Amino acid sequence: MDEVFKALADPSRRALLDSLNARNGQTLRELCAGLDMARQSVSKHLAVLEEAGLVTTVRRGREKLHYLNAAPVHEIAHRWISRYDRARAQALADLKLALEETPMDAPTFVYTTYIRTTPQKLWQALTEPAFTRRYWATEFTTDWSAGSPMTWDNHGVLISDPEQVVLEAEPYNRLSYTWHAITPELAKRFGWDEGLLSRLSAEPRSKVTFTIEEAAAQVVKLTVVHDGFEPGSDLAEMVSHGWPNVVASLKSLLETGEPLPDDA
């Protein structure tokens, strides 16, 4: 974690993180316009932040968008400090949530982490029920072909809908599918009130995309992008808190053989 602390020690890099916290998903040009720094300086600072894992990028056509990535802070809280000092872990968890929050004018969740595994094993963990039920309490029934329907078993609630489909499926490289329908059964399972159920049900269909890249021998870079939300989306806020826990438990399962405990 030395890279994380060194990256955060510089006030200019903290200013870049502040800018992204105020408005996530900015281009290099936009970041330069909002800060009193030369383009070359901003590029160098962004490179340090990316190397530390605090910033991740996503291509949109010819543009490269920059997003805050809370994975390093999340891993410090769960894997290190929480063993010795729960109060400090809670403080870091509060910082993690602040970094994860996506402004509702452009809600897109982006999360990058590195896992000691292979692309083949990570693909299995994302698609096979024997894995997904352990770290996510979720199973999928589908043949994982683009355009195929998906039935979700989410925490024991079956969800079927014609718009739940596989969008992309390139084994060991890229997986994308539409998010599940919001049902009264699911609302009952999680204790949502009628108002929240109504708002979630009225939102447009979102989608999640997993990109798998080999970073080194037995190390894989996983990037999760969940987008397609409307401004002010309740679901966007919910998944921004849920995905870090799901991905951290997935990482733990692949690296140690056990997911994170339920109270982690």
Side-chain angles (χ1 to χ4, degrees), residues 22-233:
R23 185 167 66 86
N24 224 352
Q26 295 187 59
T27 64
L28 175 60
R29 176 179 55 81
E30 290 170 327
L31 285 168
C32 292
L35 298 169
D36 187 21
M37 279 190 276
R39 184 184 181 92
Q40 185 177 13
S41 298
V42 173
S43 295
K44 289 181 178 178
H45 286 309
L46 285 173
V48 174
L49 292 169
E50 285 190 61
E51 184 68 24
L54 290 164
V55 168
T56 190
T57 59
V58 175
R59 285 282 181 183
R60 287 289 186 269
R62 295 182 178 181
E63 292 185 324
K64 185 165 72 169
L65 305 183
H66 299 79
Y67 291 88
L68 285 172
N69 180 43
V73 179
H74 189 268
E75 290 169 11
I76 289 172
H78 278 298
R79 293 173 176 266
W80 179 36
I81 295 179
S82 58
R83 299 181 188 179
Y84 306 108
D85 192 329
R86 289 193 175 274
R88 294 181 187 177
Q90 184 59 53
L92 275 177
D94 291 341
L95 172 61
K96 170 182 73 67
L97 293 180
L99 292 175
E100 287 163 5
E101 286 176 354
T102 304
M104 290 298 102
D105 60 341
T108 296
F109 177 81
V110 181
Y111 193 91
T112 296
T113 192
Y114 292 83
I115 305 175
R116 191 176 299 108
T117 189
T118 64
Q120 292 78 10
K121 289 180 180 178
L122 180 51
W123 182 267
Q124 282 184 293
L126 292 173
T127 59
E128 294 186 6
F131 286 91
T132 58
R133 74 167 70 99
R134 293 192 64 193
Y135 67 86
W136 197 358
T138 298
E139 298 179 26
F140 307 104
T141 301
T142 182
D143 64 6
W144 295 114
S145 298
S148 292
M150 300 176 67
T151 296
W152 291 53
D153 182 338
N154 188 268
H155 293 80
V157 178
L158 285 177
I159 310 169
S160 295
D161 188 277
E163 294 186 5
Q164 288 174 190
V165 296
V166 179
L167 298 173
E168 298 178 72
E170 301 175 21
Y172 322 133
N173 292 301
R174 188 176 174 87
L175 178 66
S176 180
Y177 48 80
T178 57
W179 200 242
H180 62 73
I182 304 299
T183 67
E185 293 79 12
L186 200 63
K188 182 178 179 180
R189 167 64 179 79
F190 289 108
W192 300 336
D193 61 30
E194 288 294 328
L196 180 56
L197 172 61
S198 178
R199 294 196 304 273
L200 291 174
S201 299
E203 290 192 17
R205 183 77 58 172
S206 62
K207 72 178 188 298
V208 62
T209 302
F210 304 89
T211 302
I212 301 169
E213 303 172 78
E214 281 194 272
Q218 297 291 310
V219 177
V220 175
K221 177 183 177 182
L222 173 66
T223 300
V224 181
V225 178
H226 197 149
D227 58 7
F229 303 107
E230 61 183 5
S233 165

